[in-house]
Amino acid sequence: MAALPRLLWASSAVLVLWAGFCSAVCVEVPSETEAVQGKDMKLLCISCMKREEVTASTMVEWFYRPEGGKDELIYRYRNTNHEFPSRFSGRLQWNGSKDMQDVSITVQNVTLNDSGIYICNITREFEFEIHRPLFTSSRLIHLTVVEEAGEDFTSVISEIMMYILLVFLTLWLLIEMVYCYRKVSKAEEAAQENATDYLAIPSENKENCAVPVEE
């Protein structure tokens, strides 16, 4: 039954991607905040450009802040990617898009020590004819790493609603079957009663029951 939430999520994702493809609209979706130990975790960072018709160069910097610690630069992307020496060395992968609106990275083989705050800083330099203004934005992701994946509350609600729907449809089907059965039984009983009444009529009176034929 756990496949139902995944199917719903996949359908929603396809609709979002289809809508984005058709209308060329950038949607800023928040990142997930829980990772499972030993799995890969994509830190989603989307920063939509307000002026898509203007050429801009983009630089992305990812920082990591442990609990009670200071910000540590772990990754930078500007035309090429550069990974800085840290606890994540060899475990960071660039997942950004070509238009630099999605500037996400993936942390591979997540450990319990990877819990903390991740900061995604985006700097855009727009190329106007007269000046080159800079615009900056940041995204914070409070990531918690757990040993095992817990039961998703949304999937639990989906399963409960699915069971309720199945019970409702089953009861409705049973009621329809009983109703149809009673209707057919009454029709058969009425036909049998009519046949019995006809047979009980004396033979000399049956001629009166016949429908006269016009000459």
Side-chain angles (χ1 to χ4, degrees), residues 8-211:
L8 294 175
W9 181 89
S11 301
S12 301
V14 170
L15 289 176
V16 171
L17 291 175
W18 179 82
F21 176 78
C22 292
S23 58
V25 174
C26 176
V27 180
E28 297 186 3
V29 182
S31 176
E32 294 185 6
T33 57
E34 183 176 284
V36 180
Q37 182 182 11
K39 304 293 184 179
D40 294 348
M41 176 63 186
K42 182 177 181 179
L43 302 175
L44 187 62
C45 181
I46 298 178
S47 178
C48 300
M49 294 181 62
K50 305 303 180 183
R51 296 286 301 276
E52 294 182 1
E53 72 276 8
V54 178
T55 304
S57 59
T58 304
M59 181 180 69
V60 182
E61 291 181 327
W62 278 92
F63 293 84
Y64 170 71
R65 182 191 305 165
E67 186 68 26
K70 297 181 179 179
D71 293 352
E72 175 185 0
L73 181 60
I74 60 175
Y75 199 89
R76 175 184 291 157
Y77 188 95
R78 185 168 189 174
N79 298 326
T80 59
N81 56 336
H82 180 69
E83 183 178 341
F84 292 85
S86 65
R87 71 178 69 190
F88 305 99
S89 295
R91 295 193 295 128
L92 299 179
Q93 180 180 355
W94 174 255
N95 285 128
S97 58
K98 292 183 179 181
D99 58 5
M100 296 300 291
Q101 301 203 74
D102 182 355
V103 291
S104 307
I105 62 173
T106 295
V107 181
Q108 299 175 331
N109 191 21
V110 175
T111 67
L112 296 176
N113 294 328
D114 294 339
S115 296
I117 300 176
Y118 294 81
I119 303 99
C120 172
N121 288 342
I122 306 101
T123 302
R124 298 192 191 277
E125 183 179 6
F126 290 90
E127 300 176 3
F128 293 98
E129 294 182 358
I130 302 176
H131 61 297
R132 301 169 67 93
L134 291 175
F135 294 90
T136 60
S137 60
S138 295
R139 304 287 186 275
L140 268 67
I141 303 173
H142 296 261
L143 184 66
T144 301
V145 182
V146 297
E147 294 183 358
E148 296 180 357
E151 188 72 17
D152 187 13
F153 180 74
T154 304
S155 64
V156 173
I157 296 299
S158 300
E159 290 183 9
I160 293 175
M161 294 300 296
M162 183 186 62
Y163 285 126
I164 293 176
L165 182 60
L166 287 176
V167 172
F168 173 78
L169 291 176
T170 302
L171 292 176
W172 178 79
L173 181 60
L174 289 175
I175 292 173
E176 287 292 325
M177 291 177 64
V178 171
Y179 172 77
C180 292
Y181 175 78
R182 289 182 176 180
K183 189 174 182 179
V184 171
S185 298
K186 289 182 179 180
E188 291 180 353
E189 290 176 359
Q192 292 178 357
E193 289 178 358
N194 292 335
T196 302
D197 294 341
Y198 179 78
L199 293 176
I201 298 175
S203 58
E204 60 273 9
N205 295 333
K206 288 183 180 180
E207 296 178 357
N208 297 330
C209 297
V211 178

